Amino acid sequence: MPTLRRSLGLLAIPALVLTAVLPASAAQAAQAPAPAPAPVSTTVRPDAAAAGWLARQLVDGDHFETVFDGTAYPDQGLTIDAVLAFAASHSSDQAAAKATAWLAQPGIISGYLGDGTTEAYAGATAKLLLAAEVRGEDVHGFGGVDLPARLRSLQSPSGRFSDRSQWGDYSNAFGQSLAVIALQRTPDGAPAAAVDFLAGSQCADGGFPVAFGQTTCAGDPDATALAVQALAATGRTAKANAGLGRLTAHQNTDGGFAAAGATTSNANTTGLATQALLSTGRLGAGLKGWSSLVKLQQGCAADAAVRGAVAYDASGFSQANGARATAQAVLGLSGTPLAALSAHGARPAAPVLACPAPAGR
């Protein structure tokens, strides 16, 4: 505290005294005007404004964390969601580059993918491969891992990508769809057996389940949105169209989509469903989904710290789930399919939502 008071006291010395006791060059420097702040990048685009807010939430500027029982843990999955969102919005490329470098650290990558021998996780490997492809990274040496080879090693004879783990197999339709999309982007393409397995999991109503091998096939809107993109990317048009039909049949009157078992629209499910609809030409339903996401976005009337963020649902914005909701909402706001997503040409800055100056200024 004495040091703080002394510092404050020094700051209170009149400028005239400083001029008298400092050499001329120092006095001139003290009197020189402060350099003008760097111009702030602004945008009116909902996807870019959302991505800009998301970039400013990164811990240490390069990753996200999840707090469990009072302890913060690195959240590689959410960090990848952000990297995909930055590419989809063609903005925040500096943040995306830092996040990608963080993901490539040996400790971070092994904690997410497993060690590759006794532990190897299919969904995580597929998701990281997709992010590395989107960023234009060397996918055969990302963080010292050959991601396509690792992923292909997890494919079973049935075509399903499965975990290799002492804790059990938690692979599901999300990972299967992401694996098909990511491998389709490689020169060898997605294995036909993997595509067949995904297509064969479709329920009678056109939807896709999260978990495979259930007695009753229950379509899940999030899983359906990802499966539709995977099947559309691999030429399974009929199956993709059936999935799109299921999505549009369960679209809420507000234009959004609810999670399985729920009735209220949320930004996460709506973001994925809207991306699937817009990227496959279902513009009517897709634009309704897009509008519902915009309504959840925090605009100029909100506090400056949250402008651009997307609330999980209509109950209001919460910092607890805001980053995840915003990341997936950006995918719907941009409408670019995961199969074609690229960071090439993205602008470096993390823009803020353009708002009119307060009255009287």
Side-chain angles (χ1 to χ4, degrees):
M1 185 61 72
T3 302
L4 176 60
R5 290 198 186 99
R6 183 170 179 271
S7 299
L8 292 175
L10 288 174
L11 290 174
I13 296 175
L16 181 60
V17 175
L18 284 175
T19 304
V21 300
L22 292 176
S25 58
Q28 290 170 358
Q31 293 177 346
V40 176
S41 174
T42 61
T43 184
V44 296
R45 286 174 38 211
D47 60 339
W53 177 85
L54 189 65
R56 290 185 287 278
Q57 311 314 303
L58 289 164
V59 177
D60 297 331
D62 61 9
H63 72 284
F64 280 101
E65 295 177 343
T66 293
V67 178
F68 179 75
D69 201 19
T71 302
Y73 298 92
D75 193 332
Q76 294 94 327
L78 180 54
T79 303
I80 293 174
D81 287 338
V83 168
L84 299 179
F86 298 149
S89 68
H90 292 290
S91 71
S92 307
D93 197 56
Q94 289 180 341
K98 292 179 181 178
T100 304
W102 178 83
L103 288 165
Q105 296 179 61
I108 297 300
I109 199 170
S110 63
Y112 185 55
L113 303 185
D115 59 18
T117 53
T118 58
E119 297 291 321
Y121 315 127
T125 306
K127 191 171 182 178
L128 185 58
L129 171 57
L130 177 61
E133 291 170 334
V134 168
R135 289 293 306 162
E137 298 288 329
D138 174 14
V139 298
H140 297 290
F142 186 81
V145 178
D146 187 334
L147 294 173
R150 172 81 66 88
L151 183 56
R152 291 179 188 277
S153 75
L154 298 175
Q155 183 184 332
S156 65
S158 69
R160 175 178 176 174
F161 291 94
S162 300
D163 296 338
R164 184 166 60 241
S165 173
Q166 61 180 318
W167 311 109
D169 181 9
Y170 292 93
S171 60
N172 56 28
F174 296 122
Q176 187 76 17
S177 295
L178 289 172
V180 168
I181 292 170
L183 290 175
Q184 183 64 17
R185 294 174 60 125
T186 66
D188 293 332
V195 182
D196 289 342
F197 183 88
L198 178 61
S201 70
Q202 192 167 33
C203 302
D205 66 355
F208 288 81
V210 173
F212 297 127
Q214 301 299 304
T215 303
T216 301
C217 190
D220 175 273
D222 295 83
T224 300
L226 284 176
V228 161
Q229 293 197 58
L231 294 169
T234 52
R236 304 298 179 91
T237 306
K239 289 285 189 177
N241 285 340
L244 290 166
R246 196 272 182 186
L247 286 176
T248 54
H250 290 78
Q251 189 169 22
N252 287 335
T253 55
D254 63 2
F257 293 83
T263 58
T264 303
S265 299
N266 72 79
N268 297 65
T269 304
T270 302
L272 293 178
T274 300
Q275 180 186 36
L277 291 165
L278 289 177
S279 65
T280 55
R282 299 290 181 107
L283 299 184
L287 289 175
K288 289 179 182 178
W290 187 91
S291 296
S292 72
L293 291 171
V294 172
K295 291 176 183 177
L296 292 175
Q297 188 165 34
Q298 307 305 289
C300 294
D303 185 272
V306 300
R307 289 174 188 167
V310 179
Y312 175 75
D313 58 26
S315 65
F317 179 77
S318 169
Q319 196 73 36
N321 55 23
R324 203 173 302 274
T326 300
Q328 293 192 357
V330 171
L331 300 179
L333 290 171
S334 73
T336 304
L338 293 175
L341 203 59
S342 173
H344 181 71
R347 296 185 176 182
V352 299
L353 181 66
C355 292
R361 282 194 167 184

